Amino acid sequence: MSYQDIEFDLSGGIARLTLNRPDKLNSFTANMHAEVADALTRIETEGARVLVLTGAGRGFCAGQDLSERKPAADGTPPDLGETVDKFYAPLVRRLNALPMPVVVGVNGVAAGAGANLAFAGDIVIAKASANFIQSFCRLGLIPDTGGTFALPRLVGRARAMGLALLGDKLSAKQAEEWGLIWQCVADEEFDAALERLAAHFAAAPTKGLAFTKRALQASLGNDLSTQLDLERDMMRELGRSADYAEGVAAFLGKREPQFKGQ
């Protein structure tokens, strides 16, 4: 499949997916959703060990392209629930379920669904000049794309309410301080920081990282006893993995491990 609204490359275990409608701040259209979905299928099936998601130009993603959500000619309003069900919810679920780290590089404004798409990543870094906006309240809507799930869990009720009800810009630095993202980096260091993360995860024990991701996600809904049982089961399986055997052998041999992600 040739792509019009994204750029995609998969090599050396690193999948790079760039939202590519810079003139529209990479806002989502139905075609962009279809292209992202196709790229995710390739990521799931073609041996990727890390996904790096970012945007082209001066923005990360401005959310939904509202020109595709105008009322019909007869005045019938669009079914936004269908939009969520068909596009945004599946996107968040697929990112959540990817058996590898999802690294999000926020290179500029992340607004609406774009902000919450960023928060669906596992490791999120942002340029110091970037900002995050829960712009839904300005349209009489709620934070979708997992926003109502992620925000209170990441920053607590008071800050989540403030972000969602006021729609103010949140700087990348403040997002880092609040725990919304992993790191705010100087603009001139952003590309290098993103590449370092990609290279790190491409050489890491991918299966163990995937299990870690699943375990942390499960902990949000588990009690302690259930979580301890999950840890036991995961450790049992990982203890039989090739990466664990290589990690132990490398440690004992005082050399760098050569993980295969298995």
Side-chain angles (χ1 to χ4, degrees):
M1 180 177 181
S2 61
Y3 299 123
Q4 175 184 340
D5 293 331
I6 68 170
E7 293 180 352
F8 181 73
D9 175 74
L10 201 171
S11 59
I14 302 171
R16 293 180 173 86
L17 198 169
T18 303
L19 306 179
N20 191 31
R21 299 183 71 226
D23 56 324
K24 300 295 184 182
L25 292 177
N26 303 316
S27 55
F28 269 97
T29 61
N31 185 68
M32 180 184 276
H33 275 292
E35 293 183 359
V36 169
D38 183 83
L40 289 176
T41 298
R42 293 178 59 185
I43 290 166
E44 293 163 346
T45 59
E46 295 182 13
R49 294 174 66 179
V50 57
L51 166 61
V52 178
L53 172 63
T54 191
R58 62 189 178 89
F60 172 69
C61 178
Q64 174 64 39
D65 186 331
L66 296 180
S67 69
E68 287 198 351
R69 293 295 174 266
K70 295 183 292 187
D74 63 0
T76 303
D79 185 342
L80 299 188
E82 180 182 33
T83 299
V84 170
D85 207 35
K86 183 176 180 180
F87 295 125
Y88 291 103
L91 174 56
V92 173
R93 289 188 178 107
R94 292 187 76 179
L95 292 174
N96 187 264
L98 279 179
M100 67 196 69
V102 175
V103 177
V104 178
V106 181
N107 55 298
V109 63
N116 296 329
L117 173 63
F119 301 145
D122 301 315
I123 301 287
V124 185
I125 69 170
K127 286 185 176 181
S129 61
N131 53 69
F132 301 86
I133 312 170
Q134 295 293 322
S135 49
F136 303 91
C137 60
R138 302 176 185 177
L139 299 172
L141 302 175
I142 67 164
D144 64 10
T145 317
T148 60
F149 182 89
L151 289 172
R153 286 168 170 78
L154 291 171
V155 299
R157 181 182 183 277
R159 285 172 171 168
M161 283 289 186
L163 290 170
L165 298 181
L166 295 172
D168 292 344
K169 285 185 180 180
L170 186 74
S171 70
K173 183 61 178 175
Q174 194 165 9
E176 178 190 58
E177 292 170 352
W178 283 12
L180 268 169
I181 65 173
W182 172 245
Q183 191 176 34
C184 168
V185 299
D187 285 21
E188 63 273 16
E189 298 172 5
F190 175 78
D191 290 340
L194 202 55
E195 285 306 305
R196 282 195 300 271
L197 283 170
H200 169 80
F201 286 125
T206 312
K207 184 172 182 177
L209 298 181
F211 275 45
T212 299
K213 177 175 171 175
R214 282 171 47 197
L216 291 173
Q217 291 165 348
S219 73
L220 297 172
N222 285 346
D223 59 27
L224 176 60
S225 181
T226 302
Q227 192 68 15
L228 290 171
D229 288 346
L230 177 65
E231 291 177 358
R232 174 202 63 212
D233 295 342
M234 287 185 166
M235 288 294 277
R236 177 173 291 139
E237 182 171 347
L238 290 171
R240 298 166 180 156
S241 70
D243 276 349
Y244 175 69
E246 167 61 12
V248 172
F251 176 81
L252 296 176
K254 298 181 180 179
R255 61 173 175 81
E256 288 297 315
Q258 301 295 316
F259 295 118
K260 303 299 183 184
Q262 302 169 352

